[in-house]
Amino acid sequence: MLLDGYNNQGLLTVTSVLGKTSSSGISAFRGDLVLIEGAFREGSTTDKKPPELVIRHAALLADSEKLLFVNGLLFELEHLAVFVEKYKAALTAETLALFFVENIASDMQITLEGVVFNLTPYKNGMVWNDLLDLLYIEKADLKGQSAEDKVITVFDAAKSYVGKSPVVSFSEALTQTVEVKKDAAVGPV
């Protein structure tokens, strides 16, 4: 299975779900998807530093060769190109891709390597819960399902998701990014 291969390569981290769904030959993952791996620590050939760049709170569905569904949080729009470059062998025109992006102000659709990426601004919150809200899925709709099958339910709902914006080129989209300002965390040290 594709996701097992990614896991063996250390590309799946902070894993909360990784396993087979009730649909034959389809596996699900929830956690962080590595875009840029950490370097080996000095003097070691086995001990790696943490990943340099990840898609946070990713939700993936895959068969043995292809990604069927991809969701998660990109900190910057330009990281989309890094994702496409690293995982393009598993992407097809049928891959359903729906990302939250911190540095965009409005919904966008971008086509890269033949895949349409629906992008939505991310403000704050839990990506999974924001995804459920975006797709009008109630928590009751997921009741009684395995964690893996919940990703299938989200995928099925995402199939009917229609982006609200026209398709723009990646280079044009990069000109529409915004500066992200984060509040400083305060509290006891």
Side-chain angles (χ1 to χ4, degrees):
M1 298 299 284
L2 182 67
L3 295 181
D4 290 334
Y6 288 168
N7 192 41
N8 292 339
Q9 295 172 49
L11 299 175
L12 307 179
T13 184
V14 191
T15 302
S16 63
V17 174
L18 179 59
K20 294 179 181 179
T21 67
S22 61
S23 296
S24 179
I26 297 178
S27 294
F29 165 77
R30 284 184 55 202
D32 290 352
L33 179 65
V34 174
L35 296 181
I36 300 177
E37 299 173 60
F40 286 104
R41 296 189 192 277
E42 191 173 320
S44 176
T45 57
T46 56
D47 187 21
K48 281 188 172 184
K49 294 179 181 177
E52 293 181 28
L53 183 63
V54 297
I55 294 177
R56 275 284 222 239
H57 308 287
L60 308 174
L61 275 181
D63 60 17
S64 61
E65 300 174 356
K66 301 294 177 194
L67 288 170
L68 307 173
F69 175 68
V70 181
N71 167 257
L73 171 63
L74 295 167
F75 296 113
E76 296 181 10
L77 180 58
E78 50 268 15
H79 298 159
L80 182 61
V82 178
F83 165 75
V84 171
E85 181 61 31
K86 185 161 190 82
Y87 294 97
K88 67 182 166 188
L91 298 172
T92 69
E94 289 78 35
T95 300
L96 202 137
L98 180 58
F99 285 109
F100 292 93
V101 184
E102 277 194 339
N103 73 335
I104 62 173
S106 61
D107 289 350
M108 303 181 173
Q109 289 185 59
I110 297 172
T111 302
L112 280 174
E113 297 285 334
V115 179
V116 176
F117 292 89
N118 286 289
L119 309 174
T120 299
Y122 173 77
K123 304 300 178 211
N124 280 318
M126 296 294 294
V127 173
W128 179 255
N129 291 341
D130 290 348
L131 179 63
L132 296 179
D133 289 345
L134 183 68
L135 299 175
Y136 302 106
I137 298 173
E138 299 291 330
K139 297 230 181 203
D141 298 335
L142 304 173
K143 193 168 183 112
Q145 296 181 5
S146 70
E148 294 82 6
D149 285 346
K150 289 176 184 179
V151 182
I152 292 258
T153 299
V154 168
F155 171 60
D156 288 339
K159 289 176 186 175
S160 61
Y161 177 80
V162 178
K164 301 171 188 152
S165 61
V167 177
V168 297
S169 70
F170 185 61
S171 57
E172 182 181 340
L174 287 174
T175 67
Q176 299 176 26
T177 60
V178 297
E179 182 181 338
V180 177
K181 294 181 182 178
K182 296 191 180 202
D183 296 331
V186 294
V189 177

